Amino acid sequence: MAAYSYWQGASARRPFASGAPPSSADVVVIGGGLLGSCCAYWLARRGRSVLLLERDGVAAGATGRNAGFVVPTTARAYSEVVRQHGPAVARAVRRLAVDGTRMLTRVVVDEGVAADLRSTDLIELALDGEQVRLAKREVELSVADGFPMSWLDRDDLAHVIGTPLDDRIAGGTTVSGALANSVAVTDGIIGAAGRLGAAVHTGVTVNAVRATPSGVRVDTNHGVVHAAQAVIAVNAWSGELVPRLADVIRPVQGQVIATPAMPALFPAGMAAPISDSGVYWQQDPDGSVILGGCRTVTAPPADPTGQVPQPEVHEALLRVLPSLFPALGPVRSAHSWAGAMAFTADGLPVAERVDESVWAVGGFNGHGMPFGAIVADLVAEWVCTGVRGTRLAPFALDRATLGGSFA
Ligand SMILES: Cc1cc2nc3c(=O)[nH]c(=O)nc-3n(C[C@H](O)[C@H](O)[C@H](O)COP(=O)(O)OP(=O)(O)OC[C@H]3O[C@@H](n4cnc5c(N)ncnc54)[C@H](O)[C@@H]3O)c2cc1C
């Protein structure tokens, strides 16, 4: 079991400065995941002098350890979001995911990192009568609200998937989305931010962010940086820098394996409602199947940010493909890793101005890829204009639904 992910092992990342950062900038962005990188990019595009500080390497956190799905939907089932937040908020958040997927795709094309993001169908299997009923309801609700989604029956699936299906597979839903190598995508976006003048320092841990009469003081392990404004995009670690977020954004460990190269079997991104937390997998162009989920088969680790894979989850992940596609026989893992997702009680992220000159964004509930580029753009706009765009309203810290218990 490795301390780094398949993507982190396979992708060359550009070198950045380490050690003492410059002592001042217009805006300091903290965190070099998708959100921090996109914030730096959009702020630099708006002409700000930006300094991004990352304590490890770019995409060292959830972004570099995820499964690379860019699904233009809400994190929880759409029917559940409608029930919990009402139809208007559900529609607005889903629209943001759709627009965010397009925006991420456009940025990687514009910035020449397109090879690392493939537009494709994303299929979620249904395995029994109740799952079929819920899946068809999801299609009906989505289409009624203007979000394309289709039902595929078992015969349709048999034509798409390159190995015989287990008898339990009744059908599935499909949406158009994308699959990414999130490390390469983030590295490309941060490279683009650099070309626009953003400075990036890795190996710099931020210990505190404090408002001052003239802006913000950022204390790091390599000295102090003074800035007019700061954006905190540290996701699972948000509570360390903004104590009132500790009870709002909670780390939850997710786990993934990569198989050795297999024949081409899965032309689409795949998911199935196996175990309470579900499973999802994609086949990389090199043939490896990257498969994650199953986190609820055992008790969560004492430190969910520790990034150490759990053996029980690993074993459960190895059983997924043989149980759904028996002709495959036993599956091996060539790589196994874990990462810290960040959950909120109501399934929506937080994007908030937490002090006069400080913003915080995070808590994407294991579903940040479709939202990263667009939420970062809206946060950058807020930082530059002082006005929160209406599209960020569902992610306000004072929303009523945030006080509930965690799923
Ligand atoms: C196993 C797993 C599978 C997932 N699969 C998917 C998927 O398929 N599709 C999807 O949409 N989402 C998925 N997600 C969720 C997705 O990866 C996240 O929503 C998204 O990457 C969050 O990006 P971020 O920039 O907010 O956070 P992160 O990528 O976690 O970035 C935060 C960064 O802040 C840095 N940092 C922390 N504290 C400090 C500090 N004090 N000083 C300086 N730097 C600091 C960290 O090192 C880290 O690099 C998955 C997550 C995991 C863990």
Side-chain angles (χ1 to χ4, degrees), residues 30-37 53-71 204-207 233-237 240-241 252-256 280 337-341 361-370:
I30 302 149
L34 183 67
L35 267 292
S37 304
L53 301 177
E54 160 59 49
R55 74 169 162 204
D56 195 329
V58 165
T63 302
R65 296 168 171 275
N66 69 26
F69 279 64
V70 191
V71 192
V204 178
T205 300
V206 171
N207 296 319
V234 297
N235 204 34
W237 298 273
E240 292 176 10
L241 294 181
V252 171
Q253 181 166 295
Q255 203 165 311
V256 187
Y280 40 86
W337 69 93
M341 304 184 282
V361 59
F364 286 86
N365 293 269
H367 197 79
M369 295 301 289

Side-chain angles (χ1 to χ4, degrees), residues 327-373:
L328 290 182
V331 163
R332 282 193 308 115
S333 120
H335 212 93
S336 175
W337 69 93
M341 304 184 282
F343 277 45
T344 60
D346 67 358
L348 300 184
V350 169
E352 188 54 276
R353 187 177 200 163
V354 291
D355 210 326
E356 179 57 28
S357 307
V358 182
W359 283 257
V361 59
F364 286 86
N365 293 269
H367 197 79
M369 295 301 289
F371 292 102

Side-chain angles (χ1 to χ4, degrees), residues 163 228 259 264 358 397:
T163 180
T259 70
V358 182
L397 197 45

Side-chain angles (χ1 to χ4, degrees), residues 84-85 89 248-249 343-352 362-365 388 392-404:
Q84 195 177 4
H85 297 276
V89 169
V248 174
I249 298 179
F343 277 45
T344 60
D346 67 358
L348 300 184
V350 169
E352 188 54 276
F364 286 86
N365 293 269
R388 182 204 329 243
L392 283 182
F395 306 155
L397 197 45
D398 64 357
R399 63 188 188 255
T401 48
L402 210 43

